[in-house]
Amino acid sequence: EAGVVQSPRYKIIEKKQPVAFWCNPISGHNTLYWYLQNLGQGPELLIRYENEEAVDDSQLPKDRFSAERLKGVDSTLKIQPAELGDSAVYLCASSLGTSGNTGELFFGEGSRLTVL
Amino acid sequence: GESVGLHLPTLSVQEGDNSIINCAYSNSASDYFIWYKQESGKGPQFIIDIRSNMDKRQGQRVTVLLNKTVKHLSLQIAATQPGDSAVYFCAENIGGYQKVTFGIGTKLQVIP
């Protein structure tokens, strides 16, 4: 079974430039998460989707960050414009949701962003 | 706000010894407590979880203990192996795996 796929794995951009990250969750997983992870810290939730609906985006900086999950499968996270402080790893995770067997989150390998 | 945190940022253990990683939490409303392992350059990987109405759960070489009186969670790894070297995060979930909040993490170093 394929895991959560993220791209790109690495991205280096200059500040004020836009950037986008893509996530393909595990097939059949209704819940999709985007987390931000700074070096040496735990992941912090940015947004959570149930199918195509964003049910928790309270931690998403909406002035510059946006996300979408069209058709309830793949998702894209965008930053425009990027700032120096956005340098971090952006993790995507998926789960079966409340109807799942264990409820564990399955993470992708992450997209490491460096803003210069 | 309420959060999950860890006591020790780094733990070094000899190969073959048992490891104990501790975590303090403050949200009494959490339904589940979860341990994740994160190797360098990879995303976190689920290890084991425990419901709030339990005090102990065992997996393969791992045991999670929950003490709700003092709001303390621990992960015990038996016969620690070099492959166990990673950062371990405790996490809590409210509402049945809907919102998972992570702590800071403990780096486990296994000495051969």
Side-chain angles (χ1 to χ4, degrees):
Chain A
E1 177 182 287
V4 176
V5 180
Q6 290 188 245
S7 68
R9 287 276 282 133
Y10 305 93
K11 188 73 175 180
I12 301 174
I13 61 173
E14 294 188 346
K15 62 181 181 181
K16 299 185 181 179
Q17 294 301 306
V19 63
F21 305 111
W22 174 81
C23 174
N24 178 237
I26 292 174
S27 177
H29 281 193
N30 300 323
T31 308
L32 184 145
Y33 307 75
W34 282 103
Y35 281 87
L36 176 154
Q37 186 174 29
N38 288 304
L39 185 65
Q41 298 185 22
E44 301 170 33
L45 181 67
L46 290 173
I47 190 168
R48 172 168 61 91
Y49 283 92
E50 292 292 339
N51 298 304
E52 66 275 9
E53 181 183 0
V55 296
D56 185 354
D57 63 355
S58 58
Q59 302 302 313
L60 189 72
K62 298 180 183 63
D63 57 334
R64 298 183 300 107
F65 286 64
S66 64
E68 60 182 13
R69 191 184 184 196
L70 300 176
K71 301 181 181 179
V73 182
D74 294 0
S75 178
T76 303
L77 177 69
K78 298 179 181 178
I79 308 174
Q80 183 172 8
E83 297 179 352
L84 295 177
D86 296 332
S87 295
V89 175
Y90 292 84
L91 292 163
C92 179
S94 69
S95 73
L96 286 166
T98 54
S99 61
N101 295 327
T102 65
E104 70 185 84
L105 303 187
F106 294 82
F107 282 87
E109 294 194 317
S111 295
R112 180 178 294 277
L113 173 66
T114 301
V115 182
L116 303 176
Chain B
E2 298 188 68
S3 63
V4 177
L6 294 176
H7 294 301
L8 300 174
T10 304
L11 176 66
S12 296
V13 298
Q14 204 73 34
E15 181 178 356
D17 288 351
N18 297 332
S19 302
I20 300 176
I21 302 172
N22 297 304
C23 174
Y25 68 92
S26 57
N27 193 334
S28 301
S30 296
D31 299 317
Y32 290 89
F33 299 91
I34 310 157
W35 283 100
Y36 282 86
K37 172 186 180 183
Q38 187 173 27
E39 298 178 31
S40 181
K42 297 185 178 180
Q45 181 181 15
F46 174 92
I47 301 174
I48 191 169
D49 63 0
I50 186 169
R51 293 188 67 144
S52 59
N53 62 355
M54 300 171 64
D55 53 22
K56 181 179 180 179
R57 189 176 185 201
Q58 288 184 298
Q60 187 176 12
R61 279 202 311 118
V62 296
T63 301
V64 57
L65 299 177
L66 176 63
N67 185 330
K68 293 183 287 294
T69 302
V70 295
K71 297 182 181 177
H72 184 265
L73 184 71
S74 69
L75 177 70
Q76 300 178 3
I77 304 174
T80 311
Q81 302 170 1
D84 294 327
S85 293
V87 176
Y88 290 80
F89 294 97
C90 66
E92 61 180 338
N93 178 270
I94 303 173
Y97 297 98
Q98 291 300 313
K99 184 171 183 177
V100 180
T101 302
F102 287 78
I104 297 174
T106 293
K107 183 176 182 179
L108 176 64
Q109 295 179 323
V110 181
I111 304 168

